[in-house]
Amino acid sequence: MAAQPSRIVAIYPGSFDPITSGHLDLIERGSKLADRLIVAVLENRRKQSLFSVEERVEMLTEVVKPFPNVEVGWFHGLLVDYVKSRGANFILRGIRAISDYEYELQIAHMNRRLSPGVETVFLMAGEAYSFVSSQLVKEVVSLGGDVSGLVPPLVEERLKRLMAAPR
Ligand code: PNS
């Protein structure tokens, strides 16, 4: 019997508070490299977030609909434990600029030390989004600025609604 080709399962972890067009670009490109791509939202109780994990998962689930091999999950605790629990082969991360590199290098080394079989694969962020971060998007929206094109329309709508009626 012919051997079953091994399937490539990748985890794309992040805070996604909220998802930006840069994240979505990475998801689209990453989905072509893996048989299955799992976008994993970190639930970090120590970090104040604008959107709850449920809201972030809900928005992500909506925007990844065009990609049939992409699914959305969430995790807390160590990323490498989640990677193992999902039977994934690698972690996907994006790098926008050299300023991201040091942080990414640290977490990739730490994850490899914690779980030597797990590799991190980096994609360069699309040049159109190299300056876009969830943090900046939130700041611009809170000050009344226009973020159209920098986040998916659904996210822009949610951000505007939130800012109109802050919690
Ligand atoms: O979008 P972010 O906030 O840059 O994503 C950071 C993330 C989620 C990839 C990172 O904080 C993470 O993996 N946290 C889980 C905790 C963990 O595994 N820590 C040890 C390795 S750094």
Side-chain angles (χ1 to χ4, degrees), residues 37-126:
L37 176 66
I38 302 166
V39 183
V41 179
L42 172 69
E43 181 188 46
N44 187 350
R45 295 196 188 104
R46 275 174 296 177
K47 199 169 150 187
Q48 179 94 28
S49 61
L50 181 63
F51 292 101
S52 68
V53 175
E54 292 77 15
E55 290 170 318
R56 284 178 269 161
V57 167
E58 186 193 312
M59 286 187 274
L60 275 162
T61 304
E62 194 55 40
V63 300
V64 303
K65 272 187 180 156
F67 314 112
N69 64 335
V70 178
E71 60 194 85
V72 182
W74 65 274
F75 72 104
H76 55 79
L78 283 178
L79 171 61
V80 289
D81 289 340
Y82 183 70
V83 169
K84 270 185 242 165
S85 75
R86 300 304 307 262
N89 321 84
F90 71 85
I91 296 167
L92 177 69
R93 290 284 288 172
I95 291 193
R96 289 166 298 194
I98 198 73
S99 48
D100 283 340
Y101 177 79
E102 271 183 54
Y103 171 64
E104 293 299 333
L105 184 73
Q106 269 186 328
I107 61 172
H109 281 321
M110 181 58 83
N111 285 330
R112 197 135 54 91
R113 186 194 161 97
L114 292 168
S115 184
V118 175
E119 288 292 348
T120 304
V121 172
F122 295 100
L123 286 182
M124 293 298 153

Side-chain angles (χ1 to χ4, degrees), residues 154-167:
L154 158 112
V155 175
E156 190 184 350
E157 195 49 46
R158 293 284 287 263
L159 280 167
K160 280 186 186 157
R161 245 193 286 151
L162 253 192
M163 296 306 163
R167 327 184 208 198

